[in-house]
Amino acid sequence: MNFSNCQSSVWLCSSTMADEANEVTEFLKAPNDKKDAKRELPTSDTQCGFGIFKGPRIQRWATEHMFMVLFGIAGCFIGMAFSYFNGTITTLEKRYKIPTKTSGIITVGNDISTTLSCAFLGYYAGRGHRPKYVALGLLILAIFCLLMASPHFIYGAGEDAIKLTHEYLNTSVFNATQEDPTLCQSRLPDCVQTASQWAPIILLFVAQFISGIGCSLFYTLGLSYMDDNSTKSKSPAMLSWSAFLRMLGPAFGYSLASVCLRFYIDPQLKPLISNEDSRWLGAWWLGWIILTIIMLISAFFLYLFPKELPSAQARRLKENGVDTGVHSVTELSLADMMQSVKRLANNKVYVYNNIASILYFFGYTPYWIFTPKYIETQYQQSASTATMATGTVALAFSAAGVLLSGYVISKYKPSARAMAAWNGIVDISTVIGILCYVLIGCADSDKATSMSPIIPDSCTASCHCEYVHYAPICSPDNVTYISACHAGCNSKLKDELGRLIYTGCKCIGTLDIANVTEYQYARQGPCPVDCYKQFLIFLGVMCLLKFIGASGRTANLLLALRCVSSEDKSFALGLGNVIASIVSFIPSPILFGWILDSYCVVWGKTCGSRGNCWLYDTKSLRYTINLLAAAFIFAGSFWNIGVWYHAKDLQIFDTEPEEAKHKKNSQTFELNELSPSEVK
């Protein structure tokens, strides 16, 4: 964080403390009847802490600023967890032989539970002790992290990973002339029987499913609690700063994934390949242990906050004169909830803003989930490099966009129409940027991954390579083959550096030379592909889009909070999440995962099943994904016009107090009564 941001933080903290001091001073000057009314109030609703964690030292931290900081940090950890999953998703696919469509289904598990629980939790829990429910959400998320790591401890590193280690090589006898199933065979080999992989898939889905309940409790109740316990003039800054803290989470999550993936899946073993090899399996499980611990610590601190902050209660007493309760007691029933639904359905700003957001989410979801995978396939970067680029450089621009927009909104207080117009500009800019993605391709990558299916009666077909695992080799003419079997190699040996060299490769013979047999060999590993320049251009465009997109988050959230009544606020956020999950977050990963699988050219294969994809038709994939995503976001931009039109009377900031208005009008009247000379 730079120095100017630190200054803004200090200003926010000092202004909050000054407001609380002014409220205390005004209370001391108030009439005795108001003092007596406040003395008679129960203190349990504003009491901070529980059990032995109570007292004046803890009570002084029960401020809106402290809640904003802790809520933002906890949100940072949640974002860290989900981005960590996105950063390790390709490793999970390789380890458990999961197609991308299946990993998309795993991803939407949290959205399914959000759909089933968010509206009810926002309605019922929103009337109770919200900080305790927020802490419960974090506890559920800690269980989610623990479940995500559990498949590794149950099933281990896997046979494919163990075979690529020195320890496995030392226990087996290496013989260049013995029959090897990875080489060209004269007969069809028996298919490899593998254990069922459905158990870890189900376990990962269950973990994602319960995470949706935790997120519903955390975000729906936490945001409404923060908005209700702060003044409207401070809400943009508070929401912006908490969003900034939350946005640091993906940066830390991708960075953690990058660090963990540099270690081999079993750190006790010494791998034969480097982490640049596409067969490398990193220690994807390691970060989940760290995330479980920090989730539990965050839950403890947020559990300490009271039902209502003392400063918020003091403001409410000042406005109402005497207290009528922390919240007006309303009957919680299904009929009352349906009345809330009816009110929200007739709210055009709420409806149009949600439709615009849903279409934007539908188009942008594949970039949130599959960006590391996109970088790996399109620009041939390692999993560690892809996650590091996505999580550090790109998300730094997102954080800058949130901070800048929060500062602009707090300083200049734009109207609701201005905010809606900016949301439309953000959508159009995103569409233009995604269309640029189509043009940023790598010819070398497209050539290396555009392998056509095996043609019957071809040289490769005679080697019976159907069940040979993906193990790329590079020929002297710089052509990558799926495996030594696909190149027709019949033997192997080691060079002076200990690298495998495959010889007798009868399918390698495209060189226009006299004695082609001397060049029918290949070395282990894929041929080098240089896509780094294109990768940097893509990264630059992505950073710009992250900055522009993040600049509209605070405005969009303020429109969602201000267009509904206070009693419907938690429920409106919950219902919006339910609709977004059903229409956007659930179908979008499945659709784009299916598209990714449809452009696969090399599948891992076992008996009667198809595993993960090793190579994609990158050019066709680039065009399809980006054009389809741009179409959805472009359609959503039109709905912002409706938001702009109907938001003309929407009040975003506090109105001027009546006493101040009266005083100002009196001064203006007295000034008008003066003669010009008296004015001078």
Side-chain angles (χ1 to χ4, degrees):
M1 186 183 296
N2 58 37
F3 180 70
S4 61
N5 292 341
C6 289
Q7 284 183 315
S8 300
S9 180
V10 171
W11 170 82
L12 180 62
C13 180
S14 60
S15 62
T16 303
M17 296 174 65
D19 287 343
E20 292 174 356
N22 291 335
E23 290 167 359
V24 173
T25 304
E26 291 174 4
F27 170 72
L28 294 175
K29 295 179 180 179
N32 290 331
D33 56 343
K34 290 188 178 180
K35 291 180 184 179
D36 294 337
K38 188 166 184 178
R39 288 193 190 102
E40 294 173 359
L41 280 171
T43 58
S44 59
D45 288 334
T46 57
Q47 183 68 38
C48 190
F50 65 95
I52 61 173
F53 302 100
K54 278 186 178 181
R57 292 184 178 180
I58 296 180
Q59 185 66 23
R60 66 179 180 176
W61 297 107
T63 65
E64 56 195 69
H65 172 69
M66 184 53 60
F67 181 82
M68 179 268 294
V69 171
L70 292 178
F71 180 76
I73 293 175
C76 170
F77 295 147
I78 295 175
M80 190 174 174
F82 286 103
S83 60
Y84 183 82
F85 172 72
N86 294 339
T88 57
I89 196 169
T90 53
T91 302
L92 283 170
E93 290 176 359
K94 295 174 186 177
R95 167 61 186 91
Y96 297 108
K97 298 177 174 59
I98 304 173
T100 307
K101 182 176 67 174
T102 303
S103 62
I105 294 174
I106 293 172
T107 303
V108 303
N110 67 78
D111 298 301
I112 295 174
S113 60
T114 297
T115 302
L116 299 174
S117 64
C118 195
F120 291 99
L121 292 175
Y123 180 75
Y124 289 103
R127 314 293 176 96
H129 198 301
R130 285 178 286 183
K132 289 185 177 180
Y133 283 113
V134 170
L136 176 61
L138 287 169
L139 180 61
I140 293 173
L141 286 165
I143 299 173
F144 148 70
C145 294
L146 195 60
L147 285 176
M148 288 297 295
S150 60
H152 175 77
F153 299 103
I154 297 173
Y155 300 101
E159 185 180 359
D160 292 343
I162 295 174
K163 285 182 177 180
L164 294 172
T165 61
H166 284 280
E167 288 79 1
Y168 179 84
L169 188 62
N170 292 334
T171 58
S172 62
V173 179
F174 182 86
N175 188 343
T177 60
Q178 73 179 31
E179 185 174 345
D180 191 327
T182 64
L183 299 177
C184 182
Q185 301 295 318
S186 58
R187 61 179 179 83
L188 181 66
D190 296 331
C191 65
V192 180
Q193 295 286 349
T194 58
S196 174
Q197 300 297 325
W198 283 107
I201 291 174
I202 293 173
L203 194 58
L204 293 173
F205 179 83
V206 171
Q208 289 285 338
F209 184 86
I210 68 168
S211 72
I213 301 174
C215 286
S216 297
L217 287 168
F218 181 83
Y219 286 113
T220 304
L221 302 179
L223 287 173
S224 63
Y225 179 84
M226 183 165 57
D227 190 58
D228 287 342
N229 285 272
S230 60
T231 59
K232 287 186 176 180
S233 61
K234 293 179 184 176
S235 283
M238 302 283 282
L239 294 172
S240 177
W241 272 100
S242 66
F244 166 73
L245 291 172
R246 293 198 306 273
M247 291 188 70
L248 294 177
F252 291 140
Y254 282 116
S255 299
L256 179 63
S258 178
V259 172
C260 292
L261 292 178
R262 293 179 188 273
F263 297 97
Y264 202 56
I265 188 169
D266 190 340
Q268 297 177 345
L269 302 178
K270 186 178 180 181
L272 293 167
I273 58 176
S274 68
N275 59 9
E276 300 294 328
D277 195 298
S278 58
R279 294 168 294 167
W280 175 272
L281 292 177
W284 62 269
W285 53 273
L286 189 59
W288 293 116
I289 307 300
I290 301 172
L291 289 166
T292 301
I293 297 171
I294 60 180
M295 288 290 183
L296 292 173
I297 296 173
S298 301
F300 169 77
F301 283 108
L302 284 174
Y303 191 83
L304 296 173
F305 279 88
K307 186 175 183 180
E308 184 181 28
L309 292 178
S311 58
Q313 187 187 73
R315 282 192 298 271
R316 183 164 49 78
L317 286 174
K318 180 181 176 182
E319 294 173 1
N320 300 336
V322 293
D323 186 36
T324 58
V326 175
H327 292 289
S328 57
V329 179
T330 58
E331 183 182 356
L332 300 179
S333 64
L334 184 60
D336 183 57
M337 187 175 70
M338 295 308 298
Q339 288 297 319
S340 298
V341 172
K342 186 176 180 180
R343 286 194 298 270
L344 294 175
N346 292 326
N347 189 329
K348 293 183 178 180
V349 175
Y350 176 80
V351 172
Y352 293 166
N353 189 52
N354 271 281
I355 294 176
S357 299
I358 286 169
L359 289 170
Y360 181 89
F361 292 150
F362 198 105
Y364 211 80
T365 293
Y367 301 104
W368 285 327
I369 299 175
F370 300 123
T371 292
K373 187 182 184 72
Y374 185 89
I375 293 174
E376 289 179 51
T377 57
Q378 292 290 330
Y379 307 109
Q380 302 300 304
Q381 301 298 309
S382 67
S384 178
T385 301
T387 53
M388 181 62 74
T390 306
T392 55
V393 181
L395 287 173
F397 282 83
S398 295
V402 168
L403 283 180
L404 181 62
S405 64
Y407 171 76
V408 170
I409 292 174
S410 298
K411 182 175 178 61
Y412 297 103
K413 294 180 171 54
S415 64
R417 274 194 161 183
M419 293 182 182
W422 179 249
N423 284 342
I425 295 173
V426 168
D427 286 357
I428 297 299
S429 301
T430 303
V431 170
I432 295 173
I434 291 176
L435 293 178
C436 292
Y437 287 167
V438 178
L439 306 176
I440 308 172
C442 179
D444 289 344
S445 177
D446 293 342
K447 179 183 177 181
T449 59
S450 60
M451 300 179 182
S452 59
I454 304 302
I455 302 173
D457 299 328
S458 69
C459 172
T460 302
S462 64
C463 287
H464 306 291
C465 307
E466 186 176 3
Y467 296 108
V468 175
H469 290 180
Y470 177 72
I473 61 171
C474 183
S475 69
D477 52 348
N478 206 38
V479 174
T480 299
Y481 289 82
I482 298 172
S483 71
C485 179
H486 291 82
C489 306
N490 55 33
S491 61
K492 61 184 177 181
L493 53 86
K494 279 188 177 182
D495 63 8
E496 61 277 4
L497 298 177
R499 296 175 301 185
L500 281 177
I501 301 295
Y502 296 91
T503 59
C505 306
K506 61 182 180 181
C507 298
I508 298 177
T510 59
L511 292 174
D512 187 16
I513 52 181
N515 192 2
V516 71
T517 57
E518 294 182 5
Y519 293 88
Q520 289 183 331
Y521 69 91
R523 61 174 178 80
Q524 188 180 30
C527 297
V529 175
D530 186 10
C531 295
Y532 195 69
K533 180 180 178 181
Q534 292 84 348
F535 166 62
L536 291 180
I537 297 173
F538 170 82
L539 188 61
V541 176
M542 183 174 66
C543 289
L544 180 61
L545 288 187
K546 291 281 187 181
F547 177 81
I548 296 174
S551 66
R553 289 194 179 185
T554 303
N556 193 60
L557 183 56
L558 281 172
L559 287 171
L561 291 172
R562 296 290 183 264
C563 69
V564 297
S565 61
S566 179
E567 62 178 349
D568 290 333
K569 193 174 296 181
S570 295
F571 180 65
L573 291 176
L575 183 63
N577 286 335
V578 168
I579 297 173
S581 296
I582 294 174
V583 182
S584 179
F585 292 129
I586 292 176
S588 181
I590 298 175
L591 171 64
F592 284 97
W594 174 80
I595 291 173
L596 281 162
D597 285 344
S598 65
Y599 287 104
C600 180
V601 293
V602 178
W603 285 99
K605 191 173 183 180
T606 57
C607 294
S609 65
R610 191 171 65 178
N612 62 293
C613 181
W614 287 102
L615 284 177
Y616 294 90
D617 180 358
T618 54
K619 185 176 182 179
S620 301
L621 182 63
R622 183 171 65 253
Y623 275 83
T624 303
I625 283 186
N626 291 315
L627 290 177
L628 185 61
F632 278 106
I633 297 175
F634 183 70
S637 64
F638 288 98
W639 290 94
N640 283 308
I641 299 175
V643 178
W644 174 86
Y645 179 79
H646 292 286
K648 55 186 175 180
D649 297 324
L650 187 62
Q651 180 183 328
I652 300 295
F653 300 94
D654 284 319
T655 56
E656 196 174 6
E658 292 297 327
E659 295 181 2
K661 279 186 179 180
H662 179 72
K663 184 177 180 181
K664 184 176 180 180
N665 292 335
S666 299
Q667 290 174 347
T668 304
F669 175 76
E670 292 173 0
L671 187 62
N672 291 336
E673 291 296 314
L674 296 176
S675 63
S677 59
E678 290 174 321
V679 171
K680 294 179 182 179

